[in-house]
Amino acid sequence: MGRLAALAALAGLTAVSGIGSATAAPAPVPDDKAVVYRGYQIRVPSSWRIVDLDEHPRACVRFDRPAVYLGRPGDRNDCPAGLIGRTAGLVVQPIDRQSAEQVTDTTAVARRGSATAPSAASENDTIRIAVEDAGVLVTAAHTPRTRGQVRGILDSAELTADARRTELPAAGDRDSAPLAAAGPQPGDFLGKGFDACAAPSQAAMDAWLANSPYRAVGVYISGATRACSQPNLTSTWVNNQTGKGWRLIPIDVGRQAPCSAFSNRMSSDPATARSQGAGAASASVTAAQNLGVPAGSALYSDIEGYASTASCKAAVMSYLSGWTEQLHAQGYLSGLYSSASSGIADAVSVYDDPAYLRVDHIWFAWWNGRADTDGGSYVPATHWANHQRLHQYAGEVSESYGGYPINIDRNYLDVGSGTPPPATCTTTNLDFTAYPVLRSGATGAPVRAAQCLLESAGYSPGSGTPTGTYDAATVNAVQAFQSSRGLTADGITGARTWTALLSRGTTPTLQNGSTGEAVRRLQRALTAALGRTVGIDGIFGSGTDQAVRDYQSTRGLGVDGIVGAGTWSALQSGR
């Protein structure tokens, strides 16, 4: 409490002084204030906290509340383990060999005489700019909602008379340790681990390796809901820890349940949520690969506790299906972290439901103090029984080993390495918010969906379906299907071909109030035919009713909102 009070006292300062040469700026206008560090000046909202890390080296660099941190983060920070959520924040630190380890291919370098880099890319919800004329590396964290605000702050940057140039070390001058983990993570492991909000320093990891009972560590590698800065988390850090015997638990904390209080939430529409899960998986794989965490590793989606409802569960399980499908496509295993009573309970309830893909590992938060993977009444012993469990058995406790205190959550792992199962038509997603035009050379989830639809219609794209690649065999299969429906046989899967493929099957009469798989087929086909998103949930409600009427009207059919033989015939003909 004392340290929090000390940090809060800094909030009213325009800038704070210290070894890092943070200097007072001119009086700010009411809505913002100037912050100057080593000749680099920015303007931030007056409500933002300013923290001098040279004066307060143990301060937690956290982004769940807007702040600017000046100086180099210390190796003994006071970050609560349970911090989740992000608003926006900046870290401005000196350029040196240590900070240069954070530089990646997406780090922008401000041109001579300038403090800005307007074209700086955002990767993993982070923008990083090296301002060599002031000798500082600027790291800006944001969410999708605050990206514009953060870019505006970065674009306000100026050089002052105190600026002194320090260039980034040349790539060849930086440490050149092999930048890869020692095998898939966490791999085969039975024993204790911990997770912390920020990846600990090398000195702390060494001290804990020598003195603690832990041999696995959870690290937040991706996601726009991460709360803490990760100055230590580089490929060199990953290589060093795994080379010394640590196992890593890579965590993505992104969109949260639509029924939660978080601002960064997944859609309540299952098809959209599934697409968001796939996007999160792709971004997490990119982050993992940049850190040297190889294929075959498990990546864990952190979905915090929520008060589940039927619609909320459908969205979360759809999100995890997209997460799992995309990770498998890129050679990674999927994991879910959540509370035993919400996300895990929902995953248990759909364990054998073919509508959803099952995650490979579960990591359940149940703070019962027992270092084991017994899920009690939450997880049946038959579920995820083949070395597929992690148990967070205690939370937000402070432990110290070798003089390095860290606030942690305690975990027990029983996990095994494995190969992601190959994609099959049984598990391939058919629900999309839009069905893109596909032609030779296309790849990805929509191609797998088209290949499976062709296979089920009797027009096989070849052995190994689905491959996810629109090859010559797929073109031939599409042409054959098109010919059978009286469509132009060009081998391109456009709106008409998609409509015919998606609607194929039985033709029961459907109307407002109908439910089931036939309604899902209808909703998919209408999405393709109308070129707009129709909620795919298997429930014929007002949105589906309007979509049916729009389709009937534009196809010259009787407009009654009832899907009978005439409407099915038009859909299955690709009209």
Side-chain angles (χ1 to χ4, degrees), residues 109 144 165 206 301 552:
V109 179
R165 184 173 176 85
D206 289 344
S301 178
Q552 291 171 330

Side-chain angles (χ1 to χ4, degrees), residues 107-197:
T107 300
V109 179
R111 66 182 185 277
R112 276 267 193 175
S114 174
T116 65
S119 61
S122 173
E123 181 180 53
N124 210 0
D125 300 292
T126 301
I127 302 168
R128 188 168 281 122
I129 302 173
V131 184
E132 293 180 312
D133 275 359
V136 297
L137 181 67
V138 183
T139 301
H142 61 80
T143 69
R145 291 186 178 184
T146 60
R147 180 183 302 166
Q149 179 191 37
V150 166
R151 284 198 180 277
I153 292 170
L154 294 173
D155 289 345
S156 76
E158 298 177 349
L159 298 171
T160 72
D162 293 334
R164 297 293 182 269
R165 184 173 176 85
T166 301
E167 295 184 357
L168 284 169
D173 295 337
R174 300 175 200 160
D175 292 338
S176 56
L179 304 181
Q185 300 299 313
D188 296 313
F189 182 73
L190 177 68
K192 290 184 176 182
F194 73 92
D195 61 272
C197 190

Side-chain angles (χ1 to χ4, degrees), residues 529-530 532 547-557 559 575:
L530 296 174
R532 71 170 193 253
V548 169
R549 292 176 185 273
D550 291 345
Y551 178 79
Q552 291 171 330
S553 175
T554 56
R555 270 60 176 182
L557 305 171
V559 180
R575 288 177 59 187

Side-chain angles (χ1 to χ4, degrees), residues 63-447:
F63 300 134
D64 59 327
R65 53 195 186 194
V68 179
Y69 297 89
L70 306 173
R72 184 180 297 107
D75 62 1
R76 292 177 171 87
N77 63 59
D78 289 330
C79 287
L83 282 184
I84 294 291
R86 175 181 289 198
T87 53
L90 276 72
V91 180
V92 186
Q93 61 185 308
I95 289 176
D96 55 23
R97 292 181 65 84
Q98 182 177 344
S99 62
E101 289 186 359
Q102 301 174 43
V103 172
T104 68
D105 291 341
T106 60
T107 300
V109 179
R111 66 182 185 277
R112 276 267 193 175
S114 174
T116 65
S119 61
S122 173
E123 181 180 53
N124 210 0
D125 300 292
T126 301
I127 302 168
R128 188 168 281 122
I129 302 173
V131 184
E132 293 180 312
D133 275 359
V136 297
L137 181 67
V138 183
T139 301
H142 61 80
T143 69
R145 291 186 178 184
T146 60
R147 180 183 302 166
Q149 179 191 37
V150 166
R151 284 198 180 277
I153 292 170
L154 294 173
D155 289 345
S156 76
E158 298 177 349
L159 298 171
T160 72
D162 293 334
R164 297 293 182 269
R165 184 173 176 85
T166 301
E167 295 184 357
L168 284 169
D173 295 337
R174 300 175 200 160
D175 292 338
S176 56
L179 304 181
Q185 300 299 313
D188 296 313
F189 182 73
L190 177 68
K192 290 184 176 182
F194 73 92
D195 61 272
C197 190
S201 67
Q202 186 62 62
M205 292 299 293
D206 289 344
W208 278 52
L209 183 65
N211 299 285
S212 83
Y214 304 107
R215 291 297 179 269
V217 56
V219 289
Y220 292 93
I221 69 168
S222 58
T225 313
R226 289 173 298 156
C228 288
S229 175
Q230 300 289 350
N232 298 316
L233 188 56
T234 65
S235 57
T236 299
W237 186 92
V238 166
N239 173 262
N240 286 342
Q241 306 333 309
T242 59
K244 293 181 177 185
W246 284 103
R247 303 302 182 97
L248 306 185
I249 312 169
I251 308 166
D252 173 89
V253 55
R255 295 181 185 273
Q256 297 297 300
C259 53
S260 73
F262 289 94
S263 60
N264 186 30
R265 298 188 294 269
M266 62 190 74
S267 172
S268 58
D269 174 68
T272 302
R274 186 159 184 158
S275 177
Q276 291 170 335
S282 292
S284 194
V285 166
T286 297
Q289 292 174 342
N290 287 341
L291 290 169
V293 177
S297 298
L299 306 183
Y300 297 83
S301 178
D302 177 344
I303 298 180
E304 295 293 306
Y306 55 94
S308 186
T309 63
S311 60
C312 193
K313 179 174 83 169
V316 173
M317 295 302 105
S318 295
Y319 180 92
L320 290 169
S321 293
W323 167 261
T324 299
E325 181 180 31
Q326 189 60 32
L327 286 181
H328 286 177
Q330 297 186 248
Y332 287 77
L333 298 173
S334 71
L336 163 64
Y337 166 87
S338 193
S339 67
S341 60
S342 59
I344 299 301
D346 282 348
V348 168
S349 74
V350 300
Y351 188 80
D352 291 315
D353 189 336
Y356 304 108
L357 292 185
R358 186 188 304 159
V359 296
D360 300 302
H361 292 180
I362 56 166
W363 181 2
F364 54 95
W366 181 23
W367 293 356
N368 62 359
R370 298 177 181 174
D372 58 30
T373 55
D374 183 353
S377 62
Y378 294 111
V379 186
T382 55
H383 291 17
W384 294 283
N386 188 24
H387 308 292
Q388 296 170 282
R389 297 186 181 194
L390 304 84
H391 175 197
Q392 187 181 91
Y393 63 91
E396 299 186 15
V397 296
S398 290
E399 297 188 24
S400 181
Y401 297 97
Y404 287 85
I406 306 175
N407 190 270
I408 66 168
D409 299 323
R410 295 170 180 160
N411 301 282
Y412 192 82
L413 297 77
D414 181 359
V415 292
S417 57
T419 302
T424 68
C425 286
T426 302
T427 60
T428 291
N429 176 40
L430 302 179
D431 300 342
F432 298 92
T433 55
Y435 292 87
V437 175
L438 302 176
R439 48 174 49 90
S440 181
T443 60
V447 175

